Amino acid sequence: MTPLFDTAPVRTGTGSYKWDSRPGSIPLWVADMDFATAPCITEALRRRVDHGVFGYTLPGPDYYEALRSWFAGRHGYEIDPAAVIYTSGVVPALSAIIKALVRPGEGVVVQTPVYNCFFSSIRNNGCVVVENPLLRHDCGDGTFTYGMDTRGLAAICARPDVKMLLLCNPANPAGRLWTRAELEEVARITRANGVTVVSDEIHCELTAPGTEYVPYGTVDPGAVVCLSPSKAFNTAGLQIANIVTPSPEIRAAIDRAININEVCDVNPFGIEGLKAAYTPEGAAWLDALRGYLWDNCAYAAGELRRRLPSCPVCRLEAT
Ligand SMILES: Cc1ncc(COP(=O)(O)O)c(C=O)c1O
């Protein structure tokens, strides 16, 4: 095991949302790791602190280049810096995208079980949650996994009131790393029905070692994609995310909604954290983390099978 992850800082009493908001409970409910972030990020933040001025901040060309080269090099996903809108988180991004592209009363599809804020972001914008439940499959070895109900999706997308699909790629909490074939089927169905796909890819780096996520933007270049280094590098508190969409009209509408929601400013630490994460040092740390996490996961699954054999375990490909 990699020594880097053999200890985790004590977080109680540090203003941790996860540990301090429900004292005494075991906080399995928030996707927030307990490992310290990558040393290259801490060093970058320290350098920024030493500057001593923390005024309103704008990402520069090095920010967009860090994002571009990371996704091109690591995931084969070419991001045009002109197609990027930054904002203060993926949930603020989703909310602004829904506000921009769906009218109150219209339907937004979610494939359940899925991240709880998908529901609130849809409802907070006066839109209607339309569920297309994932199909649960028994793997026959005490584990289970999920697949997409593409027939159900096609029937729902054919409804005139349904305008958007919120895709979770990879899927939280279903643990699925959607395959290119599955995503191509989603693209075919949604395109045929004029439904916009918004792909939340915040979990894209936390994949089983040896596996690779498929960026939805490489399947459907017209989609709206949300990205952030925050889950992989445990930097959710730095509050930064990016929306990628090639259409200038869609970008203008999202930009307007971000302004209406007043989430157009990011902080200097989010910018420095992202630039430091998307580096070779960040990549080496992340790969060590993935190995460690999947060892932990295999251990937990084994213990559950041994001690609680009647409790089925979800097979984890990602997140
Ligand atoms: C699928 C998904 N999207 C978004 C978020 C939160 O994103 P942010 O903290 O950038 O608003 C989470 C957090 O758990 C998540 O699981």
Side-chain angles (χ1 to χ4, degrees):
M1 289 210 169
T2 319
L4 209 51
F5 304 107
D6 280 345
T7 55
V10 173
R11 299 184 65 196
T12 42
T14 64
S16 158
Y17 181 57
K18 174 177 174 177
W19 286 99
D20 290 332
S21 59
R22 296 175 198 190
S25 65
I26 299 173
L28 296 176
W29 55 277
V30 59
D32 189 303
M33 274 190 295
D34 291 312
F35 296 127
T37 192
C40 59
I41 294 182
T42 311
E43 284 154 23
L45 298 183
R46 208 169 270 137
R47 283 194 297 275
R48 187 63 186 84
V49 166
D50 286 344
H51 184 245
V53 182
F54 310 108
Y56 295 115
T57 309
L58 204 59
D62 52 350
Y63 172 92
Y64 294 99
E65 177 51 25
L67 177 72
R68 193 207 61 74
S69 65
W70 177 271
F71 278 91
R74 199 169 168 94
H75 303 301
Y77 176 28
E78 273 299 339
I79 296 174
D80 174 2
V84 176
I85 305 172
Y86 61 84
T87 187
S88 57
V90 168
V91 171
L94 295 174
S95 183
I97 294 165
I98 295 167
K99 186 187 285 279
L101 305 180
V102 189
R103 282 197 292 255
E106 291 180 332
V108 179
V109 189
V110 294
Q111 307 201 94
T112 51
V114 78
Y115 177 52
N116 58 314
C117 288
F118 278 20
F119 296 82
S120 49
S121 292
I122 295 167
R123 293 188 179 124
N124 289 344
N125 284 291
C127 299
V128 178
V129 174
V130 182
E131 289 192 43
N132 182 47
L134 296 172
L135 301 173
R136 184 173 153 154
H137 305 295
D138 210 327
C139 302
D141 59 355
T143 67
F144 67 95
T145 186
Y146 290 94
M148 276 192 214
D149 179 2
T150 47
R151 259 205 240 159
L153 184 64
I156 286 172
C157 287
R159 283 172 35 182
D161 58 312
V162 169
K163 302 295 179 197
M164 180 177 281
L165 165 67
L166 284 192
L167 180 70
C168 197
N169 177 39
N172 172 30
R176 275 300 315 280
L177 197 53
W178 301 120
T179 63
R180 186 167 291 277
E182 284 170 312
L183 295 177
E184 278 171 354
E185 187 59 5
V186 168
R188 192 190 62 73
I189 293 167
T190 50
R191 247 191 241 129
N193 292 284
V195 169
T196 303
V197 178
V198 178
S199 187
D200 175 343
E201 304 192 349
I202 195 169
H203 289 282
C204 73
E205 310 295 351
L206 293 176
T207 54
T211 65
E212 201 17 88
Y213 108 105
V214 179
Y216 191 73
T218 65
V219 173
D220 178 2
V224 183
V225 177
C226 299
L227 303 167
S228 173
S230 62
K231 293 297 169 199
F233 292 93
N234 205 20
T235 53
L238 300 185
Q239 297 188 309
I240 196 139
N242 294 292
I243 303 167
V244 184
T245 181
S247 156
E249 293 78 29
I250 291 181
R251 266 203 314 279
I254 295 172
D255 237 343
R256 176 88 194 106
I258 284 177
N259 269 276
I260 292 169
N261 288 353
E262 312 287 10
V263 285
C264 38
D265 276 323
V266 289
N267 73 74
F269 300 108
I271 295 171
E272 294 308 319
L274 181 144
K275 289 191 297 181
Y278 291 160
T279 57
E281 295 76 26
W285 180 90
L286 176 60
D287 288 335
L289 172 76
R290 289 162 73 211
Y292 198 102
L293 287 181
W294 259 263
D295 281 350
N296 279 1
C297 180
Y299 172 78
E303 287 301 296
L304 280 169
R305 238 173 274 159
R306 197 166 65 80
R307 299 192 203 196
L308 275 178
S310 61
C311 169
V313 174
C314 183
R315 189 177 276 186
L316 190 75
E317 298 170 347
T319 87

